[in-house]
Amino acid sequence: MFNFLCKHFDCHVLEGKRRRGRLVSKDGRCNIEFGNVEEQTRFAFLSDIWTTVLDLKWRFQMAIFFTAFLGSWFLFGLLWYAVAYLHQDLPQFNPSPNHTPCVENINGLTSSFLFSLETQVTIGYGFRCVTEQCATAISLLIAQSILGVVINSFMCGAILAKISRPKKRGKTITFSKNAVISKRGGKLSLIIRVANLRKSLLIGSHIYGKLLKTTVTPEGETIILDQVNIDFMVDAGNENLFFISPLTIYHIIDKNSPFFEMTAETILQQDFELVVFLDGTVEATSATCQVRTSYIPEEVFWGYRFAPIVSKTKEGKYRVDFSNFSKMVEVDTPHCAFCLYNERDAKVRLKKGYDNPGFELSEVNEIDETKM
């Protein structure tokens, strides 16, 4: 317990001295911005207007939703008012009793707006209607009806698509706040816990990771955010996971792992970010989704394992206690992977024995002094 508190204290001290930047936040959002983008490239977002609208935040999308409907109603209201004005249907022109207007009962701008609203949303109160007197009014009615269907289809489809986006399903997938390093199956491993908060499964789930760090090539080139593949496994493999209960995923720290050179004393001095991805297909909608999170050195605890959270009740049901989801327990762990493998190799050599290269065999000639 004392070591745990000391490590936490050291983490806060280091964090106060330097604030590590994250590429991926804990909830999966990417911390990146694009600068000096060419103007021609900006217009490419307008050509793909559907994706642009879906990527907007809810407040901007709702602003576009209200602006599209209110703007089209007001614009066509002005056009209906112009038709009535040019045909002299308004009361200010004192039309004769035999005068047939283009649109019945349009007396001003307000009534024109109401007729535009009734036409586009197909309310049809029956008080205001188009007559066969003006071909311009009939053409305007057709144009507004077609445009109204287009606006209604696009905006309602965008709202529905944004509500049903698969990344919302990712909100019910949670990762442990910290990662731990301890022995698992006799091998030193980096261990993370992930849970599905819904009873519906993610079909064809696949877990993998990327280690982001700054590297310098032999040619002297500095690569920021260099990506190194990190393979994660569960006991049943990393493909087609049966993701009904929380899973403990682990990465074996062997000689091919980028964590092999790190030790319990030097891991906090490293500058890296471990990004973990979970890809899967939503069972209800058959849409693919991706959940991601990240871990920095201060969030990787050496010499700990996760507390068990799955138990079996008297009724025969399996119970998951999420109060222990991120709880860690200190265990005996080698302070480096190199030491673990050296210790294992030494035990193997001790059992098998080994040759002494300094040993020399010398022959001794025996003289038989017995005389017959």
Side-chain angles (χ1 to χ4, degrees), residues 201-272:
L201 300 178
L202 283 181
I203 304 172
S205 300
H206 175 60
I207 298 178
Y208 58 97
K210 298 286 185 180
L211 187 70
L212 308 178
K213 60 179 181 178
T214 301
T215 60
V216 179
T217 63
E219 294 77 18
E221 179 185 3
T222 301
I223 302 178
I224 301 177
L225 297 180
D226 187 22
Q227 300 184 13
V228 180
N229 292 326
I230 302 295
D231 296 327
F232 282 97
M233 298 185 299
V234 295
D235 293 334
N238 61 346
E239 298 286 347
N240 300 325
L241 305 178
F242 186 47
F243 203 10
I244 192 62
S245 63
L247 297 176
T248 300
I249 62 175
Y250 59 94
H251 163 71
I252 300 176
I253 303 178
D254 54 12
K255 295 182 179 179
N256 297 323
S257 172
F259 295 94
F260 186 77
E261 301 294 336
M262 302 181 189
T263 66
E265 294 79 12
T266 62
I267 188 170
L268 292 178
Q269 303 172 5
Q270 304 295 322
D271 186 12
F272 66 85

Side-chain angles (χ1 to χ4, degrees), residues 46-309:
L46 296 178
S47 62
D48 187 15
I49 188 64
W50 177 254
T51 305
T52 302
V53 172
L54 291 184
D55 288 339
L56 291 176
K57 296 182 178 180
W58 269 110
R59 54 180 177 269
F60 298 120
Q61 190 170 24
M62 295 307 298
I64 294 176
F65 182 85
F66 288 111
T67 302
F69 282 102
L70 293 176
S72 62
W73 295 340
F74 183 74
L75 176 62
F76 278 98
L78 294 176
L79 295 178
W80 287 116
Y81 180 81
V83 169
Y85 184 86
L86 295 176
H87 197 255
Q88 297 183 354
D89 297 337
L90 301 176
Q92 63 192 28
F93 294 106
N94 297 319
S96 61
N98 297 328
H99 178 77
T100 303
C102 292
V103 181
E104 296 283 355
N105 299 312
I106 285 188
N107 302 318
L109 186 60
T110 302
S111 57
S112 299
F113 176 79
L114 291 176
F115 178 72
S116 174
L117 172 62
E118 296 168 9
T119 300
Q120 188 163 328
V121 299
T122 64
I123 294 177
Y125 290 124
F127 181 69
R128 301 178 183 88
C129 61
V130 177
T131 64
E132 68 276 6
Q133 184 68 25
C134 299
T136 304
I138 297 174
S139 301
L140 185 60
L141 177 66
I142 295 173
Q144 185 175 7
S145 300
I146 296 175
L147 184 61
V149 172
V150 173
I151 295 176
N152 187 63
S153 301
F154 183 87
M155 296 311 303
C156 293
I159 295 295
L160 180 61
K162 192 171 182 64
I163 293 175
S164 60
R165 292 191 78 177
K167 75 175 184 178
K168 299 300 180 183
R169 175 65 174 90
K171 300 296 182 181
T172 55
I173 304 295
T174 180
F175 289 88
S176 57
K177 294 181 181 179
N178 302 307
V180 297
I181 295 179
S182 60
K183 289 195 296 183
R184 185 181 179 88
K187 300 178 180 179
L188 193 64
S189 303
L190 185 142
I191 305 172
I192 297 172
R193 181 172 277 173
V194 59
N196 179 15
L197 301 181
R198 289 185 180 272
K199 291 186 177 180
S200 59
L201 300 178
L202 283 181
I203 304 172
S205 300
H206 175 60
I207 298 178
Y208 58 97
K210 298 286 185 180
L211 187 70
L212 308 178
K213 60 179 181 178
T214 301
T215 60
V216 179
T217 63
E219 294 77 18
E221 179 185 3
T222 301
I223 302 178
I224 301 177
L225 297 180
D226 187 22
Q227 300 184 13
V228 180
N229 292 326
I230 302 295
D231 296 327
F232 282 97
M233 298 185 299
V234 295
D235 293 334
N238 61 346
E239 298 286 347
N240 300 325
L241 305 178
F242 186 47
F243 203 10
I244 192 62
S245 63
L247 297 176
T248 300
I249 62 175
Y250 59 94
H251 163 71
I252 300 176
I253 303 178
D254 54 12
K255 295 182 179 179
N256 297 323
S257 172
F259 295 94
F260 186 77
E261 301 294 336
M262 302 181 189
T263 66
E265 294 79 12
T266 62
I267 188 170
L268 292 178
Q269 303 172 5
Q270 304 295 322
D271 186 12
F272 66 85
E273 180 178 356
L274 175 62
V275 184
V276 183
F277 302 86
L278 171 63
D279 298 339
T281 303
V282 181
E283 186 179 26
T285 61
S286 298
T288 59
C289 70
Q290 182 182 87
V291 190
R292 50 187 176 265
T293 189
S294 69
Y295 299 92
I296 56 178
E298 289 80 1
E299 296 169 347
V300 179
F301 288 82
W302 198 295
Y304 291 85
R305 63 172 176 83
F306 290 112
I309 59 174

